[in-house]
Every structure is written in structure tokens, then in C-alpha cells.
Amino acid sequence: MVGTKADIGRTTLPRRQLGRALRDARQAGGYTLEQVAEVLEISRSSLGRLELGQNEKIKVRDIEYICRYYGLPDERIEYLKSLAEQARTKPWWEDYRDLVRPGFNTYLQLETAATELHFFQTLIIPGLLQTPDYARSVRPSASMDPSEESDWLVERRIRRSAILTRKHRPMRAEFLVHESALRTVVGSTRIMSSQYRHLADMGTRENVSIRVVPFTAGFPGGLAVPPYIIIDFPHDEPSVVYTEGAIGTMIFEEKDEVNRFRVIHEAVSGAALEEQRSRDLLRNMARRCEQ
């Protein structure tokens, strides 16, 4: 488990994934850092920083050189080279670092690299599903200029939500949204009506599943289950779980911890309404707001 009140150092997700993959490949071959450093004429400290994801200046040709030495197949080498390219690319949200709440920058990296997302939200409509008016009406934090953060929130929501609607490989995402998040009026009933209809419409997409966890379900996942996101990655990269609160975030990376969240998620999923019933409920809620 990794607890953060800020992002995890200056380590970006692609560097961490690349470093873990190189370390696993080295250990699978039975090599020590000293052995590899001596043969490839790389300093042990540089190789160690690379495996920890702490090397900010990564050369793609060096990654290929190391991978060839480990005897990795071509497909795996190309994937690790792509991670090296990503590690050198500045993410689009980097210019807005000061507007991102503590820890969320790390989540944005995780989200960008993911192949599938599984949400459980009890407090607020998940950001990827928020309408611009809803996002604009979410109360800004006390430490930031309201208008500045509001503009950023809306822009961020629009850019992020494109991963669900893009034509090429749209993100697969499952959303379990508790009824309490739906019943909390943000902005106005007009805004909520539009938000309900947007949720119902998004739920018809093949890559998106939206289901409501009703009040009548009780606490299927346990009394103290916070909102969370289970994040799956390509190429058998280990999944992680992201949770957040008002002043910080937690990222669970250990396999046992992630599996515990999957058990919780299965319980919550079993108590949620089916997709069609969820869409019917959302559209009924929208109509009531319009009366």
C-alpha cells in the first residue's frame, strides 16, 4: 500500500512500470545488478534507479540493449520501449499541477495507462461521467480560487471523459454508483436532471456499465468501504486500487490487498440493480426533477 499526500515523488507511472518489468526480467534470468552493470558497462546506481523508476532521462536504445541482454521476446521489447517513450512525454495535465489536489496527479497517470476501470462511488458522480454543469457546480476547495478551479475542473472532465467515447479502443469501465450520490443535489434540480439523463445514455455504450447500488442494499461490501477504483493494465501489469479522501489518497498495490477489493467489489456488484433497471431509475429521477 502506498499512502500519499502528494504524488509519489517525481516518479511517473510509465517509469515505475518499466522499472518493475526490467527488475523482474533481470531476476528471472538470475542476474544481480552488479553482473548486469559490469557486462553492459552501466553503473550499478544508474541501473538501480532505472528499476526503481527514478531515472528521468531514459534512452529508448538503452532499454532495447538491456532487454536484448535479458533475452526478452520482440513483442515484450517493443512494449517496454513504448513505456520508455511515454516516460519521456509530458502529460497534458502537467501544466495544471498546482490545481490538482494532492495525489490525484498519480491517479491521472494510472487512468491514462489503464485498459479497464472498476468504480464504486458513494459520495459524488464519478468524474468521467460528470456533465460540464455538474462539474462546474462541485464546490471548489477552500485553498483555491473558485473560478480558476471551476474552469480547470470542467476542462479536465471533458478531456478525461473522451477515453470512454473515443473511436479507437475506448476504455472499458464499470461504475457502481450508490443511490446516495445520485440523491445529493449538486447545483440545481435542472443540473441533476441533465446529469441523470447523461448517466442513462452513457450506460447504453458497449464499453460502459453503469449500475445503481440502492439504499435497500444496505452495506454489501462492509460498513467502512470507501469509494475506490480498481485499475487494470495491459501486458499482465499488476492491478492497483486507488482510494481518496478530502486531504489525501491511498494506492493499494499488493496483490492480497487488490484481491480483497475485488471480493468487496463482487459483493457490491451483486447488490446493484441490473443495467436496464438502473437506466430506468435514472430516467425516472430526471423526469421528477423536471416536474
Side-chain angles (χ1 to χ4, degrees):
M1 177 182 68
V2 177
T4 64
K5 287 189 178 180
D7 294 321
I8 304 175
R10 294 291 296 173
T11 301
T12 66
L13 179 70
R15 287 205 301 266
R16 292 171 60 207
Q17 290 178 314
L18 176 61
R20 181 172 54 228
L22 292 176
R23 182 196 62 212
D24 291 346
R26 175 179 59 78
Q27 292 176 344
Y31 303 112
T32 65
L33 281 172
E34 290 78 6
Q35 289 173 325
V36 177
E38 181 179 359
V39 173
L40 299 184
E41 298 182 348
I42 301 173
S43 72
R44 184 193 183 285
S45 59
S46 294
L47 193 58
R49 287 197 302 272
L50 184 60
E51 290 189 0
L52 291 173
Q54 296 174 345
N55 192 338
E56 295 186 6
K57 297 180 180 179
I58 300 174
K59 297 180 179 179
V60 176
R61 66 173 181 271
D62 290 345
I63 300 304
E64 182 171 10
Y65 185 41
I66 295 171
C67 290
R68 296 292 180 193
Y69 178 72
Y70 292 154
L72 298 181
D74 289 343
E75 182 180 359
R76 183 65 171 171
I77 292 175
E78 289 304 313
Y79 169 63
L80 296 186
K81 287 167 60 179
S82 73
L83 286 181
E85 290 283 5
Q86 292 176 42
R88 299 175 354 159
T89 303
K90 181 180 178 181
W92 64 263
W93 61 84
E94 185 72 17
D95 290 335
Y96 301 92
R97 177 179 294 273
D98 293 339
L99 294 180
V100 180
R101 66 180 178 274
F104 196 70
N105 198 3
T106 298
Y107 171 73
L108 291 174
Q109 297 173 28
L110 296 170
E111 182 182 89
T112 300
T115 54
E116 195 160 343
L117 303 169
H118 304 270
F119 290 76
F120 174 53
Q121 180 56 260
T122 62
L123 305 174
I124 193 171
I125 304 299
L128 291 177
L129 298 175
Q130 291 179 10
T131 64
D133 283 342
Y134 185 101
R136 193 174 290 110
S137 300
V138 174
R139 182 181 178 182
S141 64
S143 62
M144 297 180 182
D145 177 76
S147 61
E148 183 180 29
E149 188 182 21
S150 179
D151 291 343
W152 155 244
L153 280 171
V154 174
E155 180 180 353
R156 186 183 69 192
R157 294 294 190 272
I158 293 173
R159 298 184 73 165
R160 287 178 55 216
S161 63
I163 66 175
L164 299 177
T165 58
R166 63 194 180 198
K167 293 183 179 180
H168 180 63
R169 294 183 181 180
M171 180 77 70
R172 297 192 63 82
E174 175 192 19
F175 298 89
L176 302 179
V177 183
H178 198 278
E179 189 173 350
S180 59
L182 300 175
R183 298 290 182 183
T184 300
V185 177
V186 173
S188 67
T189 55
R190 178 190 62 80
I191 289 174
M192 294 306 299
S193 175
S194 177
Q195 179 65 72
Y196 296 145
R197 293 193 182 281
H198 179 66
L199 289 171
D201 292 343
M202 287 295 294
T204 64
R205 298 185 63 86
E206 291 185 2
N207 61 302
V208 176
S209 173
I210 300 175
R211 298 168 60 205
V212 177
V213 181
F215 286 127
T216 54
F219 298 96
L223 291 176
V225 179
Y228 61 79
I229 309 170
I230 302 174
I231 309 169
D232 297 325
F233 302 104
H235 298 277
D236 296 322
E237 292 291 342
S239 300
V240 302
V241 176
Y242 174 87
T243 67
E244 66 181 9
I247 60 173
T249 66
M250 300 292 283
I251 297 175
F252 297 85
E253 299 183 277
E254 297 297 326
K255 185 176 181 180
D256 289 346
E257 295 172 335
V258 174
N259 286 341
R260 287 171 62 187
F261 272 97
R262 290 197 189 279
V263 171
I264 292 170
H265 193 76
E266 184 176 352
V268 176
S269 178
L273 301 178
E274 295 300 320
E275 291 184 17
Q276 186 59 57
R277 288 187 61 192
S278 296
R279 289 195 291 271
D280 291 343
L281 173 62
L282 288 165
R283 291 189 171 113
N284 286 334
M285 292 175 69
R287 283 193 289 270
R288 293 193 188 101
C289 287
E290 295 164 357
Q291 293 176 353

